[in-house]
Amino acid sequence: MSEFRAAQVEYNNYYQMMSDGVRMQAFHTAIKRSIKPGDVVIDLGAGTGILGIWALQAGAKKVYAIEKTEAIELAREIARVNGYLDRIEFIQDNSMNVSLPQRADAIISETIGSFAVDENMMQYMVDARERMLVDGGVLIPNALNIFAAPVDSKGVYDKIDFWRKFSNVDFSPAFELFSHKMMVESILTDHLLAEPLRLQPVDLNTWKGDSYMARNYFPIQRTGTIHGMAGWFTVTLCDDVQINTAPDQPETHWKQAFFPFRDPIRVVQGDVLDWSVVVAGTSSGSDHTHISYQYRCTQMREEIRAERIGRNDPCPCGSGLKSKKCCGRMDGDSCNGI
């Protein structure tokens, strides 16, 4: 890919973010409410520089815009044409390599992924908080709550299964790779097989370390097939300003994270899914993370099949039909319910 095309792809990503009304309104409101006249502000991972400009409009006297990519040149030009160049100092570097002549009163950063922590944001925020922020300074955002639930969505899973069904050429290595990779998808509430659970919360004011781990047990509420896990978040920007990316909320550019299962699991009401996830940076100062997840599920479905159930008894799959009209008249995995 040429340098020009690479830059074009990057700026297309900025379009997706900046045309997201939920994201933009929340950050604008939080900055207006949190930045005080005379504040020194760090715009961490500045991108096009919009958050730093909003900080100046809110009364900040100085902004340090730290951005390691060539997007900083676009941010500089935007600041120039808007008359803010004299109050923004642009630093093109990884923030972990940067030392400032003074500590900031506030750090603003939008380095949030679809699973909240999948862009290694905690590593950068914790480092900047410890080295660059005054005691009691403001962090935007300051807290994350991450949620997950098992998902029945053949349509999403077919994007993975596609690689096993490719004709003429064996693409199984692609299937093995992608079946363990997080995807960004629009998940519907109807796809959820269990009540969403909050995972390990993150308080960015006190969080230590740069990795994230959680393990939860999800009681299955209805018969279906687990094709993977959906993940989303709420992020607190200031006391009364949040962004919520749940499936029942207005869609944002983050959509939802989807963690495919290599082999889908048929479940019935009463099964329990044990799911754990670890998110860690691939290396110090990298935007990339390694996400690993493990899962296992009880299989009451098999236990039910082993029981002797009368043809006129209620079907154990929970359909409300008699066994002879539902599972009792089917064989194997073709059953209406289990």
Side-chain angles (χ1 to χ4, degrees), residues 206-280:
T206 59
W207 187 270
K208 303 290 186 182
D210 55 11
S211 62
Y212 180 85
M213 295 175 284
R215 183 178 183 180
N216 291 78
Y217 297 88
F218 298 83
I220 301 301
Q221 295 181 324
R222 63 181 177 86
T223 296
T225 300
I226 304 177
H227 292 102
M229 294 292 291
W232 60 89
F233 62 87
T234 62
V235 56
T236 302
L237 304 183
C238 65
D239 288 344
D240 56 351
V241 180
Q242 285 192 337
I243 297 172
N244 186 343
T245 65
D248 63 351
Q249 297 295 307
E251 186 169 279
T252 68
H253 79 283
W254 287 288
K255 298 182 181 179
Q256 286 80 42
F258 179 75
F259 303 91
F261 285 9
R262 184 187 184 280
D263 298 300
I265 303 172
R266 289 285 285 165
V267 292
V268 296
Q269 183 179 4
D271 275 326
V272 177
L273 174 69
D274 173 5
W275 187 70
S276 60
V277 61
V278 177
V279 184

Side-chain angles (χ1 to χ4, degrees), residues 320-333:
L321 300 175
K322 292 181 179 180
S323 177
K324 65 183 179 182
K325 294 290 187 181
C326 189
C327 300
R329 68 183 178 86
M330 295 286 190
D331 61 340
D333 288 337

Side-chain angles (χ1 to χ4, degrees), residues 39-58 60-67 71-92 100 102 108:
D39 277 353
V40 174
V41 175
I42 295 171
D43 184 358
L44 191 65
T48 60
I50 182 64
L51 302 185
I53 289 175
W54 282 345
L56 292 174
Q57 291 175 345
K61 69 176 181 181
K62 173 82 173 184
V63 169
Y64 292 98
I66 305 174
E67 170 61 50
I72 200 167
E73 295 305 327
L74 176 61
R76 193 192 310 273
E77 184 63 11
I78 291 170
R80 185 189 67 78
V81 300
N82 283 277
Y84 293 111
L85 196 57
D86 60 331
R87 287 190 284 161
I88 304 179
E89 182 172 334
F90 292 93
I91 303 170
Q92 185 173 5
L100 299 179
Q102 59 185 320
I108 306 169

